[in-house]
Amino acid sequence: ETRRKGAGRRAAQLAAMRVPRGRTPVWGLVFVLCQLGPAAQAVEPISLGLALAGAAASALTGFISYPRLYCYFTECCLQRPGARAGAVLEQELDKKLFGQHLVKKVVVKAVTGFLNNANPKKPLTLSLHGWTGTGKNFVSKIIAESLYEGGLSSRYVHHFVSTLHFPHRQNITEYKDHLQMWVRGNVSACARSIFIFDEMDKMHAGLIDSIKPFLDYYEQLDGVSYRKAIFIFLSNAGAEKITEVALDFWRSGKRREDLGLRDMESSVSVSVFNNKNSGFWHSSLIDRNLIDYFVPFLPLEYRHVKMCVRVELKSRGYEVDEEIVTQVADEMTYFPKEERIYSDKGCKTVSTKLDFYL
């Protein structure tokens, strides 16, 4: 009997010593106990219990009411301040994105300026255009990661893929209703929500116009302001026009880096607007000038593919072997057939081709 009582006391002592996982405010209570020290011994047990309960409640209230401290332990809406997010974005694009000087310039300035504006007049809308493998998804991922550590997995980042989320034309009315509800609900929860719409060239025409009111210059709609949200559209539409301009530039002996946004933004927007196979076909988002930037992704050259191979090798923990780099780059197919300047898949298949040599 005595042995059982002793074992029971030891189990109770061990249970009392356990700190519940994930309950950070308990550490505030531990801190209070440490600060009281020997003085606590002179206090009556009931008074001490009340004092500690009050201190714990105060510590918990302070923890929750102090956003910076609270956000160290859980994800918050707009996790990083604008200036810091802009610096992270620029650094990541410089390290990981190749051959896209226009993208770096436009995206960094647009996103940083928008985040630093305390009172924007409308949401930020970016439309990214170019061939597969030129970096559109990659850039949208980096934008998300610059604001939220969870990136595309963050509760404040919402990624739609046309062929997955909106596959059937006959359900377009239902999709419109659901899309409006989704945007409204998530912006109500977090004003700095990010919405990414992938495969816009495969979206049914007219569907994207359902979110037009949220992208417009309204101060509020039904009590909700959408002015701090970010909308990003990804599309292959317009890639032909981008390639045409880039190729003309190359054939005239001009440097790729001398291409400016003014050389192609207007022609890309017109091309997308008139493309019957695009979700932007005759869209009110373009017609009403609600897209802030049409961002052209240039087709990648042989030297850019080699840069992608080097980064992939490093990311896998290998030393850069220039022989392997050349072999992988040589395996890619290039166009036009005569000049063989641009990779027809960009850097998209670099990872799988590299597997063969490792």
Side-chain angles (χ1 to χ4, degrees):
E1 180 69 25
T2 303
R3 195 178 298 115
R4 280 200 302 271
K5 287 182 180 179
R9 281 197 299 272
R10 283 195 297 276
Q13 289 169 353
L14 287 171
M17 291 172 64
R18 292 194 186 101
V19 178
R21 291 185 179 178
R23 298 183 182 178
T24 310
V26 171
W27 291 108
L29 179 58
V30 174
F31 177 76
V32 171
L33 284 169
C34 293
Q35 295 302 309
L36 289 173
Q41 299 172 7
V43 183
E44 294 179 8
I46 295 177
S47 300
L48 176 60
L50 291 172
L52 291 179
S58 176
L60 178 59
T61 302
F63 172 77
I64 294 174
S65 63
Y66 191 59
R68 288 188 180 178
L69 178 60
Y70 179 72
C71 294
Y72 273 117
F73 301 98
T74 188
E75 186 181 46
C76 292
C77 179
L78 187 53
Q79 204 162 37
R80 291 192 177 102
R84 186 177 164 211
V88 170
L89 175 61
E90 184 171 17
Q91 183 181 22
E92 290 300 296
L93 290 178
D94 281 340
K95 285 194 305 184
K96 299 175 180 177
L97 185 68
F98 307 117
Q100 304 295 357
H101 66 285
L102 290 175
V103 176
K104 290 179 184 179
K105 183 178 179 180
V106 174
V107 169
V108 170
K109 285 190 174 182
V111 174
T112 304
F114 180 72
L115 294 177
N116 288 333
N117 185 351
N119 187 29
K121 301 302 180 188
K122 65 179 293 296
L124 176 64
T125 52
L126 303 173
S127 194
L128 315 185
H129 298 267
W131 290 119
T132 298
T134 51
K136 300 184 301 296
N137 278 285
F138 188 59
V139 168
S140 64
K141 175 176 176 287
I142 292 177
I143 292 173
E145 290 172 348
S146 69
L147 269 74
Y148 299 109
E149 289 183 7
L152 296 178
S153 300
S154 167
R155 71 181 76 176
Y156 305 119
V157 177
H158 313 282
H159 191 190
F160 300 93
V161 180
S162 295
T163 52
L164 175 64
H165 296 102
F166 317 113
H168 307 297
R169 184 181 295 277
Q170 65 269 26
N171 295 338
I172 191 168
T173 302
E174 182 182 346
Y175 295 152
K176 286 181 177 181
D177 292 339
H178 288 169
L179 190 52
Q180 285 187 339
M181 289 173 59
W182 186 262
V183 172
R184 186 184 300 114
N186 283 288
V187 174
S188 298
C190 174
R192 194 67 86 183
S193 293
I194 300 176
F195 299 91
I196 301 170
F197 294 87
D198 198 359
E199 296 184 349
M200 280 299 300
D201 49 303
K202 297 179 177 66
M203 181 178 283
H204 304 301
L207 173 56
I208 201 63
D209 284 358
S210 64
I211 67 169
K212 182 258 177 190
F214 307 136
L215 273 60
D216 217 326
Y217 290 81
Y218 298 114
E219 188 170 347
Q220 285 189 348
L221 290 171
D222 296 329
V224 179
S225 174
Y226 298 85
R227 291 181 167 187
K228 291 188 176 181
I230 297 176
F231 293 82
I232 304 172
F233 306 101
L234 315 181
S235 178
N236 288 356
E240 298 91 347
K241 180 59 66 175
I242 294 169
T243 300
E244 180 186 319
V245 175
L247 196 54
D248 286 345
F249 228 69
W250 181 84
R251 284 171 175 163
S252 354
K254 298 177 183 176
R255 293 174 64 248
R256 177 191 183 95
E257 290 72 23
D258 291 334
L259 257 171
L261 191 61
R262 65 185 179 276
D263 295 313
M264 57 175 64
E265 187 177 30
S266 177
S267 57
V268 169
S269 65
V270 171
S271 171
V272 171
F273 183 76
N274 292 320
N275 187 338
K276 290 185 178 182
N277 297 318
S278 167
F280 278 132
W281 182 63
H282 287 188
S283 170
S284 61
L285 273 60
I286 298 177
D287 191 41
R288 296 294 299 273
N289 298 310
L290 297 178
I291 305 293
D292 296 311
Y293 298 95
F294 288 89
V295 186
F297 282 67
L298 303 176
L300 298 181
E301 299 174 7
Y302 180 79
R303 58 191 169 112
H304 303 128
V305 174
K306 295 181 82 170
M307 291 177 183
C308 293
V309 179
R310 292 187 189 104
V311 167
E312 183 66 22
L313 279 168
K314 289 178 182 176
S315 70
R316 299 190 189 190
Y318 292 98
E319 291 290 329
V320 174
D321 184 328
E322 288 300 328
E323 185 177 344
I324 291 178
V325 170
T326 301
Q327 287 174 326
V328 173
D330 286 345
E331 275 204 25
M332 307 293 279
T333 53
Y334 298 85
F335 70 96
K337 286 185 178 179
E338 299 76 22
E339 293 99 335
R340 298 186 76 251
I341 307 167
Y342 304 122
S343 167
D344 64 355
K345 293 187 180 68
C347 285
K348 190 165 187 176
T349 58
V350 160
S351 180
T352 52
K353 288 188 179 297
L354 184 58
D355 292 339
F356 180 78
Y357 296 97
L358 297 179

